[in-house]
């Protein structure tokens, strides 16, 4: 049965206030759907205590990452040591999300580039992979990742919206590509063609919940169980069975984030 194949939401925001009323139920639904884990991201100093509390409440099930988001210009800048130390806490599996955003923020953006480089150096110190947010800035983000040798730590371009050429460059540079609910949107045929062209061994699935709910939940609050819909869309785009996509993307996520979980994949 499909439900027996585990899948992992590699990027959600369970600390978001959108989940304050029913967070435990959302996580119960994940378990009921057969999800063995999820990676939840804190994007500011404010969210970090809440993330730590959540990781303590769900050890071995929820895993975390923290970095100040590139959309936040007026934020305290943590130094490399502090970021690396935080990424090494129990349950923390990555540094991010970090990167460049030329959509919400306009030049001069040297503060964004500096923060990004600091996050990359911290990830290498902590030997943890990077979760990259790049909006209207994919090519430059990749240049910085290459210049800082980010592949030594590992990196994933999350919520990928770039071109096939950029996706190929990411793969060639040793990176992973992750898709979220927008892959299912009606107008996104071009993005599905990009997904079809990326080797399955370099793909991961995510929701970015509470944002970006896939069709048919578009416009509603998203939650981690909907990441399965992204795998279904990748399967359609590639002409593969969804089971194959679930198996490989789950394996990719476990290896990329080095998740200390045992997977009971039934061979049905
Ligand atoms: Zn996000």
């Amino acid at each position: 049965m499909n439900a027996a194949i585990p899948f992992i939401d590699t990027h959600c925001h369970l600390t978001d206030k959108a989940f304050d009323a029913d967070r435990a139920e959302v996580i119960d639904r994940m378990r009921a759907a057969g999800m063995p884990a999820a990676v939840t991201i804190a994007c500011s100093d404010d969210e970090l205590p809440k993330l730590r509390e959540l990781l303590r409440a769900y050890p071995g099930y929820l895993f975390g990452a923290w970095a100040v988001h590139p959309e936040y210009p007026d934020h305290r800048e943590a130094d490399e040591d502090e970021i690396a130390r935080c990424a090494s806490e129990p349950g923390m599996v990555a540094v991010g999300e970090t990167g460049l955003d030329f959509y919400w923020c306009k030049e001069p953006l040297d503060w964004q580039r500096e923060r990004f480089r600091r996050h990359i150096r911290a990830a290498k110190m902590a030997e943890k992979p990077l979760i990259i947010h790049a909006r209207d800035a994919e090519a430059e983000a990749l240049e910085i990742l290459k210049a800082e040798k980010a592949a030594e730590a590992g990196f994933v371009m999350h919520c990928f919206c770039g071109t096939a050429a950029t996706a190929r460059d990411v793969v060639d540079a040793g990176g992973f590509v992750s898709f979220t609910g927008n892959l299912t949107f009606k107008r996104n045929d071009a993005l599905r063609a990009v997904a079809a062209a990326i080797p399955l061994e370099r793909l991961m699935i995510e929701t970015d919940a509470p944002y970006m709910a896939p069709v048919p939940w578009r416009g509603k609050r998203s939650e981690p169980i909907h990441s399965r819909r992204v795998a279904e869309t990748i399967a359609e785009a590639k002409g593969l069975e969804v089971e194959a996509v679930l198996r490989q993307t789950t394996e990719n996520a476990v290896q990329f984030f080095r998740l200390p979980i045992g997977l009971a994949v039934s061979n049905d």
Side-chain angles (χ1 to χ4, degrees):
M1 295 298 292
N2 290 349
I5 298 177
F7 60 101
I8 293 171
D9 184 354
T10 61
H11 189 120
C12 56
H13 299 277
L14 288 174
T15 48
D16 195 282
K17 59 182 179 317
F19 295 112
D20 280 352
D22 64 345
R23 190 169 287 108
E25 286 92 328
V26 167
I27 296 164
D28 284 348
R29 280 196 285 277
M30 292 166 54
R31 291 195 197 273
M35 297 180 70
V39 180
T40 179
I41 324 273
C43 297
S44 66
D45 282 358
D46 288 351
E47 286 182 337
L48 190 52
K50 212 167 164 180
L51 175 62
R52 287 178 170 135
E53 199 181 303
L54 203 52
L55 299 186
R56 272 196 298 270
Y58 296 92
Y61 193 72
L62 294 183
F63 299 92
W66 166 70
V68 178
H69 198 285
E71 271 171 38
Y72 300 153
D74 303 309
H75 195 290
R76 182 185 75 92
E77 296 291 353
D79 67 17
E80 283 148 41
D81 286 329
E82 183 186 349
I83 300 160
R85 232 181 300 122
C86 182
S88 306
E89 288 176 19
M92 290 288 200
V93 292
V95 173
E97 52 192 291
T98 181
L100 301 175
D101 192 310
F102 297 168
Y103 179 83
W104 291 110
C105 302
K106 301 296 169 197
E107 299 282 2
L109 289 174
D110 283 345
W111 61 268
Q112 225 181 51
R113 297 180 177 93
E114 248 326 290
R115 183 186 291 169
F116 185 24
R117 287 178 187 275
R118 200 176 310 118
H119 286 156
I120 297 170
R121 290 194 293 265
K124 288 168 69 178
M125 279 170 65
E127 300 182 326
K128 292 287 164 89
L130 288 142
I131 300 165
I132 310 300
H133 167 109
R135 187 149 184 208
D136 290 354
E138 287 87 350
E140 188 177 334
L142 191 57
E143 261 174 52
I144 292 177
L145 287 163
K146 285 189 205 166
E148 296 285 341
K149 299 188 166 49
E152 289 172 14
F155 67 92
V156 57
M157 303 291 270
H158 114 89
C159 190
F160 190 77
C161 301
T163 63
T166 307
R168 201 162 39 239
D169 288 348
V170 169
V171 169
D172 288 348
F176 281 72
V177 176
S178 166
F179 288 100
T180 181
N182 65 344
L183 190 70
T184 69
F185 296 175
K186 202 170 173 26
R187 64 178 151 84
N188 279 347
D189 281 334
L191 196 58
R192 284 184 284 275
V194 172
I198 300 171
L200 195 53
E201 291 68 28
R202 294 299 186 87
L203 282 174
M204 290 193 273
I205 60 169
E206 61 168 286
T207 56
D208 212 9
Y211 313 106
M212 290 277 187
V215 175
W217 304 281
R218 190 172 179 185
K220 303 210 173 78
R221 182 191 72 173
S222 191
E223 54 179 82
I225 49 169
H226 295 334
S227 54
R228 193 180 198 285
R229 184 74 195 98
V230 177
E232 288 166 4
T233 307
I234 291 171
E236 283 159 30
K238 282 185 166 293
L240 295 172
E241 298 292 328
V242 66
E243 288 79 1
V245 175
L246 291 171
R247 281 202 179 88
Q248 187 64 51
T249 54
T250 300
E251 195 178 314
N252 295 346
V254 170
Q255 285 180 7
F256 179 82
F257 291 107
R258 284 173 294 189
L259 302 179
I261 56 170
L263 286 179
V265 184
S266 72
N267 282 313
D268 41 274

